[in-house]
């Protein structure tokens, strides 16, 4: 059962997750200011979440009889998420960036979900991502007073 459009969309998400994990580590290590500890803890939770999801998506691709992209050059070729080249971040910048990136993943998950019509395991995985990130966006916006 290899739906080429779906497996391509999942591989793009996989590549974006690789970028996201690197960004989250960058924020985790390089945030500064009065909210350092809070942002440090939050970003650690997020990179743990994305790392688990990264594995889930790769394994789902294998279940769909497709190959998950598994090289850095492959991730860079497919990724649509913007990388972060900075190395010194104010907490507000990190939180705003997370909102933007989470919205990116929600849009990608909704697109892939549309391609997965009838593939309940894939749709369930994508729904879980959407539910998680929509809640996280709400929590971040509430933290920012938005």
């Amino acid at each position: 059962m290899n739906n080429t459009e779906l497996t391509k969309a999942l591989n793009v998400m996989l590549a974006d997750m690789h970028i996201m994990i690197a960004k989250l580590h960058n924020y985790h290590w390089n945030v500064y200011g009065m909210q350092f500890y809070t942002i440090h803890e939050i970003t650690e939770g997020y990179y743990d979440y994305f790392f688990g999801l990264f594995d889930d998506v790769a394994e789902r691709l294998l279940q769909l009889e497709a190959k998950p992209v598994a090289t850095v050059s492959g991730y860079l070729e497919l990724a649509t998420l913007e990388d972060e080249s900075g190395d010194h971040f104010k907490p507000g910048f990190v939180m705003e960036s997370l909102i933007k990136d989470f919205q990116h993943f929600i849009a990608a998950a909704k697109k892939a979900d549309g391609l997965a019509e009838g593939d309940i395991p894939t749709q369930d995985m994508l729904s879980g991502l959407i539910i998680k990130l929509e809640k996280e966006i709400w929590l971040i916006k509430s933290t920012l007073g938005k």
Side-chain angles (χ1 to χ4, degrees), residues 30-44:
N30 294 304
V31 67
Y32 68 93
M34 290 297 295
Q35 295 172 320
F36 166 82
Y37 186 76
T38 302
I39 302 299
H40 187 77
E41 291 292 310
I42 288 169
T43 53
E44 183 174 351

Side-chain angles (χ1 to χ4, degrees), residues 4 10 18 29 36 39 46 74 92 99 106 110 112 117 123 133:
T4 305
L10 292 175
H18 182 79
W29 295 320
F36 166 82
I39 302 299
Y46 288 152
I99 290 171
I106 290 169
K110 287 179 178 179
E117 189 174 330
Q123 288 182 306
L133 295 184

Side-chain angles (χ1 to χ4, degrees), residues 15-130:
D16 285 344
M17 286 176 201
H18 182 79
I19 299 296
M20 189 68 196
I21 292 165
K23 285 176 81 167
L24 286 163
H25 276 91
N26 191 359
Y27 296 148
H28 177 75
W29 295 320
N30 294 304
V31 67
Y32 68 93
M34 290 297 295
Q35 295 172 320
F36 166 82
Y37 186 76
T38 302
I39 302 299
H40 187 77
E41 291 292 310
I42 288 169
T43 53
E44 183 174 351
Y46 288 152
Y47 68 66
D48 286 344
Y49 169 76
F50 274 97
F51 191 75
L53 186 62
F54 182 76
D55 191 53
D56 291 344
V57 171
E59 289 174 353
R60 186 67 194 145
L61 280 159
L62 291 165
Q63 293 164 25
L64 294 171
E65 300 175 1
K67 289 285 186 187
V69 63
T71 63
V72 173
S73 61
Y75 299 138
L76 294 175
E77 182 180 320
L78 289 178
T80 60
L81 187 69
E82 187 177 324
D83 190 17
E84 177 57 66
S85 61
D87 64 359
H88 198 69
F89 308 104
K90 292 182 179 179
F93 174 85
V94 172
M95 299 303 265
E96 293 287 348
S97 181
L98 291 174
I99 290 171
K100 180 181 161 197
D101 290 344
F102 290 176
Q103 289 170 334
H104 175 90
F105 278 103
I106 290 169
K110 287 179 178 179
K111 176 185 174 188
D113 184 66
L115 298 169
E117 189 174 330
D119 177 355
I120 295 169
T122 301
Q123 288 182 306
D124 185 56
M125 179 182 66
L126 295 168
S127 293
L129 170 64
I130 294 165

